[in-house]
Amino acid sequence: MSSFFKSLTEVNVASKFYKGLAITSVCASTLASLAVFVSSGRAVERERSKVYALATDGSVLPMVQQRSRETRPVEATAHVRMLLMYLFEIDRLTYKDRLARAYDLGNSSIYALYKEQEEGDWYVDVEQYNARSTLIINSMECDDGGGRYLVNAAFTVIINSDITKNKRYDLEFEVVVVDGAVARTERNPHNMLVVQIRKKKFVEVAPK
């Protein structure tokens, strides 16, 4: 009888041993997985800190990681700058292609502006006299409305051709840009859309 109780004791000890071993194994596996996760996260952060861009002169520009929310007003301003470049930095050989690219940056408000310009003979010099239109940005300010950005752009356009010399216009546009309306693409790198354009100033400057 004593040998029977002894065997029960051995079975009980063995059961506790294997149960403890199983719990220890699970804990060890969990800790190992957590360690791998933390290590991988740190490795990713280290690689991100090494990201850089090249300037036009070939110099290295380090990229500072920022939250998307903080950079969106900057992107909205860049979006409007790109739109103005497509609309006003043009010549006879490029303006049709640039207009097509401008349409990818917003809704029908861009086409409406183009038609208004066309009806006002804005493109006559460009089409008939091989003129070149040059854009000069004077100032740009952006108000953040939480996914809706109001960009106020003051700029100058100078038109030169064989017939027209230094025809100068001072303009100021108020442009509404909305956030996250389209996917990021090569033709719309900021993932934004211009939804409204209001002319605040559009005057021809008399030559001095």
Side-chain angles (χ1 to χ4, degrees):
M1 183 67 71
S2 59
S3 61
F4 173 74
F5 285 110
K6 183 179 180 181
S7 64
L8 287 179
T9 303
E10 292 175 350
V11 170
N12 188 42
V13 171
S15 175
K16 289 182 178 180
F17 171 76
Y18 288 117
K19 184 183 293 185
L21 181 62
I23 293 174
T24 303
S25 299
V26 170
C27 292
S29 298
T30 302
L31 290 175
S33 299
L34 182 60
V36 171
F37 178 78
V38 172
S39 176
S40 300
R42 289 178 178 175
V44 170
E45 290 301 321
R46 285 196 300 269
E47 291 303 315
R48 284 180 177 174
S49 67
K50 298 177 184 178
V51 175
Y52 64 89
L54 294 178
T56 54
D57 62 355
S59 59
V60 175
L61 300 175
M63 303 292 285
V64 179
Q65 186 178 3
Q66 292 178 300
R67 290 183 301 174
S68 174
R69 181 66 180 167
E70 297 173 348
T71 62
R72 292 306 271 168
V74 177
E75 289 195 88
T77 302
H79 196 74
V80 174
R81 184 183 296 271
M82 178 178 289
L83 173 68
L84 296 179
M85 182 188 71
Y86 285 157
L87 291 176
F88 297 105
E89 187 75 25
I90 56 176
D91 56 36
R92 184 170 60 87
L93 298 178
T94 63
Y95 93 97
K96 288 288 180 66
D97 177 67
R98 291 193 166 223
L99 282 172
R101 287 180 174 271
Y103 298 148
D104 290 329
L105 301 180
N107 64 4
S108 59
S109 62
I110 298 175
Y111 181 75
L113 174 63
Y114 161 70
K115 292 302 293 183
E116 183 180 346
Q117 300 281 87
E118 184 182 48
E119 292 170 1
D121 296 330
W122 179 261
Y123 300 102
V124 169
D125 286 342
V126 173
E127 290 182 324
Q128 295 184 4
Y129 307 119
N130 196 26
R132 175 169 182 81
S133 172
T134 302
L135 171 70
I136 301 173
I137 301 290
N138 299 320
S139 66
M140 299 190 77
E141 297 178 356
C142 179
D143 292 331
D144 183 356
R148 187 178 179 88
Y149 305 91
L150 182 63
V151 180
N152 194 81
F155 56 100
T156 299
V157 177
I158 301 174
I159 298 177
N160 280 294
S161 70
D162 294 336
I163 296 177
T164 302
K165 296 296 183 182
N166 291 323
K167 183 184 287 186
R168 184 186 183 100
Y169 297 86
D170 283 343
L171 302 93
E172 187 173 349
F173 284 4
E174 189 178 76
V175 184
V176 177
V177 182
V178 296
D179 187 15
V182 293
R184 289 184 187 271
T185 64
E186 181 181 356
R187 295 174 74 95
N188 190 330
H190 307 110
N191 183 28
M192 291 181 162
L193 279 181
V194 172
V195 296
Q196 184 179 346
I197 303 172
R198 185 171 72 89
K199 291 182 182 178
K200 298 177 65 176
K201 180 180 180 181
F202 199 123
V203 297
E204 183 174 357
V205 180
K208 296 181 180 180

